[in-house]
């Protein structure tokens, strides 16, 4: 079924896009499926320039929780295009920006006074969260975690807890950033280990009263889809409150239903001081933001925050439609159901294939860690084989993790039961081929 050409999406263009890519685009930007150029997309499916259909279980790396080209998002953007496409909020205000800030404040603040500022990319949101935290606390230190991913700007790279490929020879990086281990049961790092490392950091590197913020992903994304234990998040909340440190949750990948709740931090029954949002907020259009307690958000003086395209009117219109779709189509409930189905399938496959060292995740944010079935060590080469086999059979997936040996599933929340079953069938075949059990 996955190899069928769909004439509606077939492309008669015989342009050699891959040759043009090689000629005009630098090697530094890698395409995971480097032989594939897509020209159409809808829901959880994409079509290549050759007219071949693929199940997209990457979703623009967690951007398309409501699916490709959701009709309500398309309609909202088209309507906004007839009015204001761009004006720059630092020049004149426009309703979609104000309305989106109001909606975000309501969904995050739950009745408390919150404020929001909008930007373009996740990295931009993270950088501004750091600026706001430093402005409010009058401190400079920021604590982050091994395996974290917070963006590709220089500050984003400094905050990110992986050396390759993100840091390369791009330094020197901004300073006053400190790092501790992130809990990882599969690799023997307990929450107690992480908290002890934090105590050691305070004793040896910086005092708590010099730290502006602790920045954490409730579920590490690029670091391997590692959920932070509830008790650990609560311990961080207690510690940060005690020391006057802001707790900042990076919800760029975990936000807007991916984990079965609107935001990942909600699984831990805590309230962070700031959260960063991006990716699925825009349903495919570039938009991000920082949402936080009003007193904290108001700490930068006028002119200290902004950006030419931040909160672009078209992206704001798309985001408002995304929030409506999440509510009207009950996609949080759907995320829970799909997550349960996906996890059950992956655990069945783990029983069948010894190379699956662990299945983990929250909601529809699931992953499998691939290991050498003789040594139990991370196996990046086998992971790559499995991904290529899946792509050849019509399923798009990507890897993550410190050792690039974890396969993550980021399918849209509008994925049908039939599409999920098809994807799991393909993944089963890819595992068999990757491990040599099927030629």
């Amino acid at each position: 079924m996955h190899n069928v050409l769909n004439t509606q999406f077939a492309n008669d263009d015989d342009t050699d896009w891959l040759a043009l890519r090689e000629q005009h685009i630098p090697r530094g930007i890698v395409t995971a499926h480097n032989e594939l150029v897509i020209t159409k997309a809808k829901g959880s499916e994409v079509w290549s320039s050759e007219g071949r259909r693929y199940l997209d279980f990457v979703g623009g790396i967690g951007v398309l929780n409501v699916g490709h080209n959701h009709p309500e998002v398309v309609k909202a953007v088209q309507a906004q295009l007839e009015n204001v496409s761009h004006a720059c909020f630092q020049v004149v205000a426009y309703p979609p920006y104000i309305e989106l800030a109001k909606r975000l404040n309501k969904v995050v603040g739950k009745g408390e006074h919150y404020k929001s500022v909008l930007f373009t990319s996740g990295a931009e949101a993270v950088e501004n969260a750091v600026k706001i935290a430093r402005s409010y606390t009058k401190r400079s230190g920021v604590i982050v975690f091994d395996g974290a991913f917070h963006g590709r700007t220089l500050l984003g790279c400094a905050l990110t807890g992986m050396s390759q490929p993100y840091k390369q020879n791009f330094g020197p990086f901004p300073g006053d950033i400190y790092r501790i281990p992130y809990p990882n049961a599969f690799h023997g790092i307990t929450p107690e280990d992480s908290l002890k490392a934090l105590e050691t950091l305070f004793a040896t590197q910086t005092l708590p009263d010099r730290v502006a913020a602790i920045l954490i992903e409730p579920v590490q994304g690029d670091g391997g889809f590692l959920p932070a234990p509830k008790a650990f998040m609560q311990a961080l909340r207690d510690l940060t409150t005690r020391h006057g440190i802001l707790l900042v949750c990076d919800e760029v990948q975990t936000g807007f239903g991916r984990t079965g709740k609107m935001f990942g931090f909600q699984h831990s029954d805590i309230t962070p001081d700031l959260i960063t949002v991006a990716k699925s907020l825009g349903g495919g259009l570039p938009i991000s933001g920082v949402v936080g307690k009003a007193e904290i958000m108001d700490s930068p003086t006028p002119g200290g925050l902004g950006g030419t395209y931040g909160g672009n009117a078209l992206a704001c219109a798309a985001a408002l439609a995304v929030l409506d779709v999440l509510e009207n189509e009950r996609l949080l409930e759907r995320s829970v159901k799909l997550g349960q189905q996906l996890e059950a399938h992956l655990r069945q496959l783990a029983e069948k294939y010894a190379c699956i060292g662990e299945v983990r995740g929250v909601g529809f944010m699931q992953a499998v860690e691939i290991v050498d079935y003789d040594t139990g060590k991370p196996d990046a080469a086998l992971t790559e084989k499995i991904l290529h086999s899946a792509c050849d059979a019509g399923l798009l997936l990507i890897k993550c993790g410190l050792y690039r040996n974890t396969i993550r599933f980021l399918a849209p929340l509008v994925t049908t039961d039939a599409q999920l079953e098809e994807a799991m069938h393909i993944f089963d075949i890819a595992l068999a081929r990757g491990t040599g059990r099927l030629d």
Side-chain angles (χ1 to χ4, degrees), residues 35 49 71 82 102 129 142 166 182 184 191 217-218 224-226 228 237 258 270 275 286 311 326 328 364 408 416 419:
E35 298 300 318
S49 56
E82 296 291 332
K102 177 183 174 183
V142 179
Y166 305 116
Y182 191 97
N184 184 340
E217 299 161 274
F225 276 36
L226 299 167
R237 176 69 283 184
R258 175 52 50 184
I270 63 163
I275 73 167
L326 287 169
N328 295 338
F364 205 31
R408 50 179 156 175
T416 66
Q419 288 170 333

Side-chain angles (χ1 to χ4, degrees), residues 6-25:
N6 187 314
T7 55
Q8 179 185 357
F9 294 106
N11 184 11
D12 295 329
D13 186 1
D14 58 1
T15 302
D16 190 342
W17 293 110
L18 295 176
L20 288 173
R21 183 201 192 287
E22 178 71 20
Q23 179 181 359
H24 295 290
I25 297 173

Side-chain angles (χ1 to χ4, degrees), residues 120-151:
T120 310
S121 69
E124 196 178 357
V126 169
E127 292 213 4
N128 278 277
V130 171
K131 287 165 58 178
I132 293 167
R134 285 174 167 172
S135 174
Y136 179 75
T137 62
K138 305 297 188 292
R139 306 171 181 180
S140 58
V142 179
I143 296 173
V144 288
F145 291 84
D146 293 339
F149 181 83
H150 297 298

